[in-house]
Amino acid sequence: VQLQASGGGVVQAGGSLRLSCVVSGRFFIINGMGWYRQAPGKERELVAGITRDGVSNYVPSVSGRFTISRDNAKNSVYLQMNNLGPEDTAVYYCNCRAKETVESSDFDYWGQGTLVTVSS
């Protein structure tokens, strides 16, 4: 299972970016998907998560500004980020929890990360 993230870049404060992540490889089902971020000198944190049925949750600092969505037919997850601020600067990682076979347990898979830089 491989995850390929894209959409990072440099944006001015108040701007928007949309991150995308597509899952490929051999798997039976993708359950939860999410976006994490890691800022310099800080631990990785969950930004937003979404269940297969579309139930989402957010870290309070992005609630109302970020929207997570997924397309199960395309094995993809997205993160629309609006009203970005310098505090959002980080490497963003996509994550999915998937079963490789019907008998296997869920396993966490990670993308390579995409850098988001917000200038003030």
Side-chain angles (χ1 to χ4, degrees):
V1 177
Q2 297 85 40
L3 284 74
Q4 180 67 47
S6 61
V10 181
V11 64
Q12 289 189 332
S16 298
L17 283 175
R18 185 174 188 252
L19 305 182
S20 300
C21 178
V22 61
V23 183
S24 62
R26 296 180 63 182
F27 52 86
F28 170 67
I29 192 171
I30 300 171
N31 289 315
M33 303 184 84
W35 289 94
Y36 289 70
R37 68 185 178 187
Q38 187 167 19
K42 296 188 176 181
E43 294 186 352
R44 188 176 299 189
E45 67 170 349
L46 174 64
V47 177
I50 187 167
T51 68
R52 183 169 181 81
D53 295 331
V55 178
S56 58
N57 64 283
Y58 301 89
V59 66
S61 61
V62 309
S63 183
R65 300 187 297 123
F66 292 10
T67 302
I68 189 171
S69 61
R70 65 186 285 174
D71 185 333
N72 292 332
K74 295 182 179 180
N75 300 320
S76 296
V77 62
Y78 311 96
L79 187 67
Q80 177 65 43
M81 305 185 292
N82 298 328
N83 194 21
L84 286 159
E87 67 277 10
D88 299 311
T89 294
V91 177
Y92 284 70
Y93 298 90
C94 59
N95 163 271
C96 78
R97 180 159 290 186
K99 293 179 182 289
E100 290 194 2
T101 68
V102 65
E103 297 91 0
S104 63
S105 301
D106 279 334
F107 191 82
D108 279 323
Y109 298 91
W110 295 89
Q112 83 284 7
T114 184
L115 178 62
V116 172
T117 303
V118 185
S119 61
S120 57

